[in-house]
Amino acid sequence: MTETSPDLLPHRFSVAPMMDWTDRWCRRFHRLLTRQAMLYTEMVHANAVLHGDRRHLLGFDSQEHPVALQLGGSDPRVLAEAARIGAGFGYDEINLNVGCPSQRVQSGAFGACLMATPETVAQCVEAMADAVSIPVTVKHRIGIDEQDSEADLHRFVSRVAESGCSTFIVHARKAWLNGLSPEANREVPPLDYTRVYRLKEEFPSLRVLINGGIEGPEAGLPHLRRVDGVMLGRAAYYRPFELGRVDRLYFGAEDDRGHPDIVEDLVALAEELCSRDVPLSRLTRHVLGLFHGAPGARHWRRVLTEGARRRDAGPELIEWAVGPCLQAAG
């Protein structure tokens, strides 16, 4: 895609929703690296939004924008109310999870198993779209089990698009709902990027983003010739420093973010946590890969992992951990 409209820009590059990882402090850290990429929450079940501690589940900081709330569920009424609540918190987008293959999720009749029932997904999306004024998007697989033909995928997208969804984030692997763990479902089913490309060709008016197996921001760029955006998952988490190149590669920024600037901002973020009586470990567990593959990386991980266990751990821990890394970088 050679030209990009302003409303598409945040979706040119996004960081995937990842359970137990993309909490608010992970997102705050990622926002130090990229100012413009779209960030996603962990999946939150719609019932939890209605009946749980909403401030704990949905709270986020204004620095995180643009940020989307990912919901799980299959009841249109419940999802609509959860979406309305999420929009009230200030999220920029509501995303419906139709891609998680875990047994726990399947037992609740949501996630990837919903690809077998496009009508249910369409009803959910329609109810959510009617409840909010912000975009409602869907993240899904290219298929499930034996229901994985290209015709099945196009039928699913066509029906859901009719309900008011114009943005589809496609994990370019099918999901096996029985016999494979969620971890194996991220590795074993083969990637099929060309199927996602053909989906975009079939539905040119829809916004199609590609996800799955993309090893870094540079590796995502060729996909932009065929689809509208790239979503990075585990690579963004395990090698977060690479996110410092995203704003230049995808959004036209002049410079990358370097380690010294990132660390300076990270110390300031640690100070904020401490001022709010939030344990430093809530942040440090997400930053262990910042110096992945660089001299001093082992020292960085060890100091943060051991030191953050102390209840009085503060910003000085980051300054101590980073010393050998910055010295090695000259």
Side-chain angles (χ1 to χ4, degrees), residues 20-21 23-26 29 237 266 269-270 273-274 277-288 303-315 317-318:
D20 299 320
W21 287 359
D23 60 22
R24 66 190 302 174
W25 300 114
C26 177
F29 169 52
Y237 192 85
L266 191 58
L269 181 55
L273 259 75
C274 294
D277 294 323
V278 177
L280 189 65
S281 58
R282 299 275 183 88
L283 173 64
T284 55
R285 76 186 189 95
H286 298 303
V287 308
L288 298 179
V303 170
L304 292 184
T305 300
E306 296 175 358
R309 296 171 184 162
R310 301 198 318 266
R311 297 183 64 179
D312 63 344
L317 182 66
I318 293 174

Side-chain angles (χ1 to χ4, degrees), residues 29-72:
F29 169 52
H30 285 169
R31 189 53 80 208
L32 302 181
L33 299 152
T34 167
R35 307 296 192 190
Q36 300 192 61
M38 194 78 176
L39 303 181
Y40 285 78
T41 70
E42 305 170 87
M43 179 179 65
V44 182
H45 196 284
N47 281 325
V49 174
L50 268 60
H51 306 295
D53 183 344
R54 294 174 186 173
R55 189 154 299 279
H56 171 71
L57 292 169
L58 302 182
F60 71 98
D61 296 277
S62 60
Q63 296 94 323
E64 294 177 44
H65 289 294
V67 59
L69 168 65
Q70 187 183 69
L71 293 175

Side-chain angles (χ1 to χ4, degrees), residues 245-276:
R245 298 194 287 273
V246 163
D247 289 357
R248 175 178 57 82
L249 292 171
Y250 287 80
F251 301 101
E254 293 184 1
D255 300 308
D256 295 337
R257 298 224 74 207
H259 276 122
D261 291 334
I262 295 168
V263 170
E264 181 179 352
D265 289 344
L266 191 58
V267 170
L269 181 55
E271 291 172 348
E272 180 185 334
L273 259 75
C274 294
S275 71
R276 296 164 66 168

Side-chain angles (χ1 to χ4, degrees), residues 78-91:
V78 175
L79 280 165
E81 180 62 13
R84 185 190 64 78
I85 293 168
F89 268 75
Y91 284 96

Side-chain angles (χ1 to χ4, degrees), residues 112-132:
C113 65
L114 286 176
M115 289 200 71
T117 56
E119 187 62 33
T120 299
V121 178
Q123 291 171 1
C124 291
V125 168
E126 185 172 15
M128 296 162 73
D130 286 345
V132 301

